[in-house]
């Protein structure tokens, strides 16, 4: 019977079994100790059981960019016999490991692989010395760092509920384990492998493979020593083995187009708009003045950067009296002629005008001038550029799997797959991103109608009904409801605005209120009134002699005025591509065109709803807008012969805004039928419209619109008897605006003669093609 020998112990007093158990402790604990404990040589004669070199299978996958977990192979790993060091440094001549006084050259295994086994008991803190062309570079090893995304981030991403997705994915300058660098993360669930490539590795990502984090489809890598301003892309190996180079979908900064690289960014802007943010939600937008100046930033004053615009735009908008600016899409886009409506960089302000911090500076300055900032947001579709979102990881990812559902029939773009939770998350978080990171006060959501209907611009056979047999895109409905609910919950005082051109029920109804159609509301705050715009412009385009046959085009908007919360838009879409500018739509000679233009604007400002006017229309620019040269500012040059004509219209817009803001009757009850009352809506033969607006206290404002080119004397208008006298607050025919100066300088007193169903009436001289506002004296 042989006696049992005691287990051999090393110098630390541990058996080999105990040592192996210790080696299996979590890597984080080992590395934390390694930072404090100097490396200790293993005892002489310790048996080496493994080769430190990268195995054939792992080697092949790393070479071909298809490795899901390079960190399990590269870097430092405890093995029987010590610690194995492995590096993949293509084109390197030599690689050494340095830790304190220890320096060991790794063996060149070919194809850029280097390995070595050091007789150590712990993984030390170490760096690499890499030799290229005879020059030695000392660097950190990217493959010695723990994952940069936590379990909560990954759980929320997997659930499609990460409301600050931009903080998890993309490129972020950060410090890991005492080392500064940039962490990269990208969602690419169909990829066989992903590598980071950029200027820092001469656009060869071979030595920078990323690791896949569980089943989330997220790949990440922390690259030490990489900081702000570095260019980068993701090199993705598709399911078929081919490779594609892609910009970061969550890049917060990009190169200036036509260059397409993403740029590592860190913000340093210090905001100065705390007072604005604290106060902006005090009054609901529906019950507040809301007069919007729509701007295409690159062409408002061509050649100006964000910071230059910050010196000029706030001053101009403040002088003109608008409460808000609406910026046509700011997010990065490859083709300037799309005006920003075909987005490739959803998280990056366009680099054409400066950096993200420069754009923040512009928003900050507008806020400090008391001006709200709305932004066009385009979640409906994206272009097919091969370096952007289309088939991002080799298969349909952001777009719908069904080619018929994916292809947008009008614009040659791709529609988002609103039914996929990660895609929905990408867009919902993007809406929150602009509001939280850039302090945007409102999002005008483009092309909502194209999202809501499966048969939008599609012929029979080109679309498939939903699960209920209808034409509604149920996924898009759910997305819009989630987006609105999330933005309103997270961002107090922000408003969302739908550009929706159909009669969809409940666009501005809360999401939890079900309507007659069985759907909950979409949850928007406001909706563009496309019907009002179309009908009223159609009426104004007719010669006044024919207008009496089209009178209903001006009154029909009041039939549905309170079905939604409306914005009245005269936007860029109405003054391009052969539609002519606003003043050029008007009939008659130049004097009549301007008179029609002025009368229309004053009628628009008095009509229930908020106002939006595109740049150039405030001074009656005669030419269509072009993104190539912007508004015709030269029309306001005093040396131009007709300068007074254009300046008169601009002065009217300034006065309209000033009176509007000072008159609660024009905005306080915008969404309440109690705020409006017809005096006469059927005087078609006279081309006259007259109505009252009321504020919450019942104080009225009388608007009289006369759209015939003649003077009507002693025209009787019914009025409420409780107002003892009226005074003219605004008359678009005033000489200072370019009119014939048929005005009412004196107080107008009612007579006890009933008219228009009212107990009293006043007699007015109606100027030609004019709108007048009268208020209680």
């Amino acid at each position: 019977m042989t006696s049992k020998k005691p287990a051999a112990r090393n110098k630390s007093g541990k058996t080999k079994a105990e040592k192996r158990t210790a080696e299996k402790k979590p890597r984080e604990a080992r590395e934390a100790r390694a930072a404090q404990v100097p490396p200790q040589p293993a005892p002489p004669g310790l048996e080496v059981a493994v080769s430190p070199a990268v195995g054939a299978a792992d080697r092949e996958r790393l070479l071909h960019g298809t490795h899901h977990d390079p960190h399990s192979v590269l870097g430092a790993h405890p093995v029987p016999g010590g610690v194995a060091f492995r590096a993949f440094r293509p084109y390197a001549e030599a690689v050494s490991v340095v830790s304190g006084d220890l320096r060991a050259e790794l063996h060149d295994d070919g194809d850029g692989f280097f390995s070595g086994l050091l007789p150590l008991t712990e993984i030390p803190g170490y760096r690499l010395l890499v030799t290229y062309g005879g020059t030695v570079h000392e660097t950190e090893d990217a493959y010695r760092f723990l994952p940069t995304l936590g379990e909560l981030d990954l759980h929320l991403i997997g659930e499609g509920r990460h409301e600050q997705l931009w903080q998890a994915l993309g490129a972020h300058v950060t410090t890991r384990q005492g080392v500064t660098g940039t962490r990269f993360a990208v969602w690419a669930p169909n990829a066989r492998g992903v590598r980071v490539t950029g200027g820092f590795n001469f656009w060869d990502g071979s030595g920078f493979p990323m690791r896949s984090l569980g089943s989330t489809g997220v790949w990440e890598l922390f690259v030490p020593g990489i900081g702000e301003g570095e260019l980068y892309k993701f090199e993705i190996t598709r399911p078929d083995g081919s490779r594609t180079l892609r910009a970061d979908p969550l890049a917060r900064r990009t190169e200036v187009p036509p260059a397409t690289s993403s740029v590592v960014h860190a913000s340093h802007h210090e905001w100065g708009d705390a007072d604005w943010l604290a106060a902006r939600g005090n009054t609901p937008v529906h019950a507040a003045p809301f007069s919007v100046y729509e701007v295409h930033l690159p062409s408002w004053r061509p050649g100006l950067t964000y910071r230059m615009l910050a010196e000029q735009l706030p001053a101009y908008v403040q002088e003109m009296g608008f409460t808000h600016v609406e910026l046509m899409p700011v997010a990065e886009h490859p083709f300037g002629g799309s005006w920003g409506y075909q987005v490739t960089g959803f998280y990056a302000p366009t680099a054409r005008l400066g950096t993200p911090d420069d754009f923040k500076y512009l928003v900050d300055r507008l806020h400090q001038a008391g001006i709200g900032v709305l932004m066009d947001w385009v979640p409906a579709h994206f272009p097919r550029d091969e370096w952007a979102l289309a088939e991002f990881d080799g298969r349909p990812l952001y777009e719908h799997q069904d080619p018929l559902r994916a292809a947008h029939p009008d614009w040659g773009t791709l529609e988002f797959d609103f039914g996929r939770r990660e895609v929905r998350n990408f867009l919902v978080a993007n809406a929150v991103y602009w509001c939280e990171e850039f302090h945007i006060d409102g999002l005008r959501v483009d092309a909502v109608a194209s999202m809501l209907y499966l048969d939008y611009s599609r012929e029979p056979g080109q679309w498939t009904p939903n699960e209920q047999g209808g034409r509604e895109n149920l996924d898009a409905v759910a997305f819009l409801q989630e987006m609105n609910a999330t933005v309103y919950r997270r961002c107090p005082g922000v408003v969302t605005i739908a550009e929706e051109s159909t009669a969809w029920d409940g666009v501005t109804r809360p999401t939890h209120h079900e309507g007659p159609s069985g759907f909950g509301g979409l949850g928007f705050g406001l909706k563009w009134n496309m019907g009002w715009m179309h009908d009223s412009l159609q009426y104004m385009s007719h010669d006044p002699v024919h207008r009496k046959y089209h009178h209903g085009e001006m009154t029909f908007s009041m039939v549905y005025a309170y079905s939604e919360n409306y914005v009245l838009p005269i936007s860029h879409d109405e003054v391009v591509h052969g539609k002519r500018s606003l003043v050029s739509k008007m009939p008659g000679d130049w004097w009549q065109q301007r008179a029609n233009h002025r009368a229309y604007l004053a009628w628009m400002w008095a009509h229930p709803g908020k106002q939006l006017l595109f740049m150039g229309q405030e001074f009656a620019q005669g030419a269509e807008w072009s993104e190539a040269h912007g508004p015709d500012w030269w029309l306001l040059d005093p040396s131009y012969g007709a300068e007074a004509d254009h300046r008169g219209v601009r002065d009217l817009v300034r006065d309209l805004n000033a009176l509007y803001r000072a008159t609660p009757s024009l905005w306080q009850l915008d969404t309440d039928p109690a705020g409006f009352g017809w005096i006469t809506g059927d005087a078609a033969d006279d081309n006259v419209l007259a109505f009252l607006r009321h504020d919450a206290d019942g104080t009225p404002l009388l608007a009289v619109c006369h759209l015939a080119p003649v003077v009507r004397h002693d025209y009787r208008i019914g009025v409420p008897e409780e107002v003892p006298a009226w005074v003219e607050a605004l008359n678009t025919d005033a000489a200072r605006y370019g009119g014939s100066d048929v005005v009412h300088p004196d107080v107008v007193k009612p007579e006890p003669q009933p008219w228009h169903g009212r107990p009293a009436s006043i007699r007015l001289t109606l100027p030609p093609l004019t709108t007048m506002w009268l208020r209680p004296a």
Side-chain angles (χ1 to χ4, degrees):
M1 185 172 179
T2 57
S3 59
K4 199 169 185 180
K5 295 176 67 177
R9 297 181 179 271
N10 59 20
K11 290 182 180 179
S12 65
K14 295 180 180 178
T15 66
K16 289 183 179 179
E18 291 169 336
K19 180 175 179 293
R20 283 194 297 270
T21 301
E23 288 169 348
K24 295 178 181 177
K25 290 181 179 180
R27 184 173 179 178
E28 184 173 8
R30 295 198 305 272
E31 293 192 357
R33 291 199 307 274
Q36 303 174 9
V37 181
Q40 301 178 18
L46 185 66
E47 181 181 0
V48 177
V50 299
S51 166
V54 175
D58 287 322
R59 185 181 177 117
E60 191 71 11
R61 291 164 65 197
L62 287 167
L63 285 169
H64 289 86
T66 59
H67 208 297
H68 277 68
D69 191 10
H71 293 70
S72 67
V73 179
L74 303 177
H77 299 271
V79 298
V83 175
F85 291 84
R86 307 185 188 98
F88 181 34
R89 295 282 172 162
Y91 315 114
E93 297 168 359
V95 177
S96 298
V97 172
V98 177
S99 178
D101 294 332
L102 173 67
R103 174 170 177 166
E105 185 171 348
L106 302 183
H107 181 264
D108 186 346
D109 298 325
D111 293 330
F113 291 94
F114 297 84
S115 66
L117 179 65
L118 300 187
L120 305 174
T121 58
E122 298 280 357
I123 296 177
Y126 70 95
R127 293 170 65 84
L128 298 178
L129 299 179
V130 186
T131 304
Y132 295 102
T135 302
V136 179
H137 303 268
E138 184 172 353
T139 182
E140 296 285 349
D141 184 1
Y143 297 93
R144 78 174 185 86
F145 294 92
L146 298 167
T148 57
L149 293 179
E151 290 299 321
L152 180 58
D153 283 322
L154 295 176
H155 172 76
L156 293 174
I157 292 171
E159 291 289 316
R161 297 290 181 181
H162 203 306
E163 294 176 356
Q164 293 182 303
L165 186 67
W166 68 93
Q167 295 187 0
L169 302 183
H172 295 266
V173 178
T174 187
T175 299
R176 299 289 295 173
Q177 298 163 220
V179 176
T180 299
T182 297
R183 62 176 177 88
F184 297 91
V186 63
W187 178 61
N190 298 309
R192 293 178 61 190
V194 183
R195 303 191 282 204
V196 181
T197 181
F200 54 89
N201 59 19
F202 302 98
W203 296 100
D204 186 335
S206 303
F208 292 79
M210 304 176 76
R211 64 178 143 205
S212 176
L213 299 178
S215 61
T216 60
V218 174
W219 302 73
E220 74 84 40
L221 180 67
F222 174 73
V223 181
I226 300 303
E228 295 178 53
E230 291 281 0
L231 304 183
Y232 72 98
K233 283 187 177 180
F234 295 115
E235 182 186 86
I236 295 173
T237 303
R238 300 180 177 108
D240 64 2
S242 63
R243 293 183 193 141
T244 179
L245 207 58
R246 298 290 172 142
D248 182 0
L250 279 95
R252 291 171 296 152
R253 184 180 170 191
T254 70
E255 281 190 288
V256 178
T260 59
S261 294
S262 304
V263 182
V264 176
H265 172 69
S267 179
H268 302 285
H269 180 75
E270 295 183 7
W271 290 94
D273 62 350
D275 290 344
W276 169 269
L277 294 182
R280 71 179 178 184
N282 289 348
T283 304
V285 67
H286 316 94
F290 195 87
S291 172
V292 183
Y293 184 57
E294 188 188 20
V295 177
H296 179 251
L297 284 178
S299 70
W300 183 71
R301 300 272 194 184
L304 298 190
T305 64
Y306 291 128
R307 288 187 179 269
M308 293 174 181
L309 285 162
E311 302 306 315
Q312 297 190 29
L313 184 60
Y316 181 78
V317 176
Q318 192 175 50
E319 178 194 356
M320 293 302 297
F322 290 96
T323 66
H324 291 73
V325 293
E326 179 178 314
L327 308 179
M328 289 168 67
V330 174
E332 193 60 272
H333 49 282
F335 176 49
S338 76
W339 312 329
Y341 290 98
Q342 296 193 10
V343 178
T344 49
F346 281 81
Y347 284 78
T350 180
R352 292 171 175 85
L353 306 181
T355 69
D357 275 4
D358 293 339
F359 179 58
K360 289 181 178 180
Y361 179 79
L362 171 59
V363 175
D364 207 349
R365 288 294 298 271
L366 285 162
H367 282 170
Q368 291 175 41
I371 300 161
V373 182
L374 314 175
M375 187 187 85
D376 278 13
W377 185 56
V378 192
H381 63 125
F382 57 91
R384 296 174 179 266
D385 299 74
E386 61 181 11
W387 50 268
L389 296 183
E391 292 193 354
F392 181 75
D393 57 5
R395 291 177 181 163
L397 187 66
Y398 289 91
E399 66 270 41
H400 203 280
Q401 302 281 335
D402 181 350
L404 289 179
R405 287 279 297 273
H408 196 289
D410 290 343
W411 303 315
T413 52
L414 295 168
E415 297 185 11
F416 281 102
D417 182 0
F418 302 111
R420 184 161 190 166
R421 61 181 181 271
E422 297 95 341
V423 174
R424 202 163 57 241
N425 190 174
F426 173 81
L427 293 171
V428 171
N430 187 241
V432 173
Y433 168 76
W434 289 105
C435 298
E436 291 190 352
E437 292 291 323
F438 291 91
H439 294 194
I440 296 297
D441 302 295
L443 299 172
R444 177 267 194 184
V445 183
D446 183 64
V448 171
S450 76
M451 301 164 65
L452 290 174
Y453 298 98
L454 296 170
D455 63 346
Y456 183 87
S457 285
R458 292 179 171 91
E459 299 298 326
Q462 295 180 335
W463 64 281
T464 303
N466 63 35
E467 61 196 38
Q468 300 171 2
R471 56 195 283 255
E472 301 86 2
N473 186 337
L474 303 180
D475 293 334
V477 171
F479 156 68
L480 291 170
Q481 291 174 328
E482 180 183 349
M483 181 277 297
N484 281 312
T486 304
V487 167
Y488 277 104
R489 172 170 49 82
R490 292 188 63 101
C491 309
V494 167
V495 63
T496 60
I497 307 167
E499 189 233 350
E500 203 284 313
S501 56
T502 75
W504 183 280
D505 174 54
V507 172
T508 58
R509 189 172 60 242
T511 57
H512 58 280
H513 288 180
E514 186 174 301
S517 62
F519 291 102
L522 295 183
F524 285 95
L526 297 168
K527 170 183 171 173
W528 274 23
N529 193 335
M530 310 297 279
W532 168 89
M533 176 274 299
H534 179 271
D535 290 347
S536 62
L537 290 180
Q538 184 72 19
Y539 174 89
M540 294 301 297
S541 69
H542 292 298
D543 188 283
V545 73
H546 301 302
R547 284 176 175 170
K548 64 181 179 179
Y549 304 111
H550 301 272
H551 198 72
E553 292 172 351
M554 291 292 270
T555 60
F556 182 65
S557 59
M558 289 311 304
V559 173
Y560 61 88
Y562 302 103
S563 62
E564 302 279 5
N565 305 326
Y566 283 117
V567 174
L568 310 179
I570 299 298
S571 73
H572 66 277
D573 271 335
E574 313 320 317
V575 296
V576 293
H577 295 332
K579 295 180 182 179
R580 298 175 293 172
S581 71
L582 182 57
V583 73
S584 297
K585 296 177 190 291
M586 305 300 172
D589 59 22
W590 175 232
W591 191 95
Q592 290 182 332
Q593 284 183 310
R594 287 183 292 118
N596 275 302
H597 182 99
R598 295 191 304 267
Y600 180 77
L601 290 178
W603 174 75
M604 170 183 172
W605 254 249
H607 190 287
K610 310 306 181 182
Q611 292 77 36
L612 178 141
L613 188 65
F614 183 59
M615 63 185 195
Q617 313 316 300
E618 77 273 20
F619 56 84
Q621 172 176 316
E624 287 184 341
W625 169 65
S626 166
E627 78 279 358
H629 58 73
D632 291 335
W633 295 107
W634 56 269
L635 295 171
L636 297 171
D637 189 326
S639 64
Y640 175 59
E643 176 265 347
D645 295 346
H646 298 278
R647 191 168 296 278
V649 175
R650 194 181 73 163
D651 288 347
L652 170 68
V653 173
R654 184 190 60 223
D655 290 352
L656 283 173
N657 277 324
L659 280 167
Y660 168 77
R661 296 177 77 159
T663 309
S665 303
L666 292 173
W667 43 262
Q668 202 167 56
L669 298 179
D670 256 335
T671 61
D672 187 339
F676 177 90
W678 278 115
I679 298 295
T680 177
D682 58 0
D685 288 342
D686 299 332
N687 293 3
V688 169
L689 299 153
F691 54 87
L692 293 168
R693 296 295 308 276
H694 296 96
D695 65 14
D697 296 328
T699 303
L701 179 131
L702 172 62
V704 181
C705 191
H706 177 225
L707 297 172
V710 297
V711 178
R712 298 189 190 277
H713 297 279
D714 291 327
Y715 196 87
R716 193 171 291 277
I717 300 287
V719 292
E721 62 181 347
E722 61 269 17
V723 178
W726 298 84
V727 63
E728 190 174 83
L730 179 128
N731 185 325
T732 64
D733 192 53
R736 65 181 180 276
Y737 304 139
S740 59
D741 213 30
V742 177
V743 297
H744 301 82
D746 301 322
V747 169
V748 180
K749 294 187 177 181
E751 299 172 359
Q753 181 172 347
W755 207 258
H756 291 141
R758 302 282 176 168
S761 58
I762 57 176
R763 287 182 297 161
L764 299 172
T765 298
L766 301 186
L769 303 172
T770 298
T771 295
M772 298 180 292
W773 294 356
L774 295 94
R775 57 177 174 79

